[in-house]
Structure formats: C-alpha cells, structure tokens
Amino acid sequence: MSQTLTMARAFGALQARMLDHACAELEATLTDAQTLARSKSASEAIALQAKAVRRSYESYAEHLKELARAANTALRKD
C-alpha cells in the first residue's frame, strides 16, 4: 500500500509541474500570437515561430527531466 501511495504522490506532483509548464507555454504562445497578429514584418514572424519551436522543445525536455526525477525519487524511497 505504501508503494502505491508513494507512486500516486509522485505522479500527482509530476502532473502539477506539467500543468504549470503547459500553462506557461500557453501564455507565451498566446503572447507570441498577439505580437504576430500586430506585426507586418515577415522576418519578425519567422523569428517568433523559431522562438516558439525552441520554447516547445525546451518545455518538452523539461517534462522528460521532471518525469525522470519523479521516478528516481519514488524508486529511491522503496
């Protein structure tokens, strides 16, 4: 029972972090979309898209790191 509770807590903590990351990503994406909508510059549009791709990659990498940390923490407690 304690292993199940430990894993449930680890998973809950991971979900909270992932939701925080997702909310931050959504806010940044909306800000970029608003900036892009006001821009008439093709070079600015390309720069914003490149920034969004980089940010998405970094966010995904952070999700994977959080998953690994949560799993390692849970495994060490067993």
Side-chain angles (χ1 to χ4, degrees), residues 31-33 35-37 39 43-53 55:
T31 299
D32 286 349
T35 302
L36 187 57
S39 174
S43 63
E44 185 177 6
I46 291 169
L48 284 170
Q49 288 173 339
K51 181 176 139 185
V53 168
R55 190 179 55 247

Side-chain angles (χ1 to χ4, degrees), residues 2-33:
S2 66
Q3 288 179 339
T4 302
L5 186 55
T6 299
M7 289 302 291
R9 285 180 180 154
F11 187 71
L14 177 64
Q15 281 183 310
R17 288 185 193 111
M18 291 178 80
L19 286 172
D20 286 344
H21 287 298
C23 288
E25 177 66 24
L26 178 59
E27 184 178 348
T29 300
L30 289 173
T31 299
D32 286 349

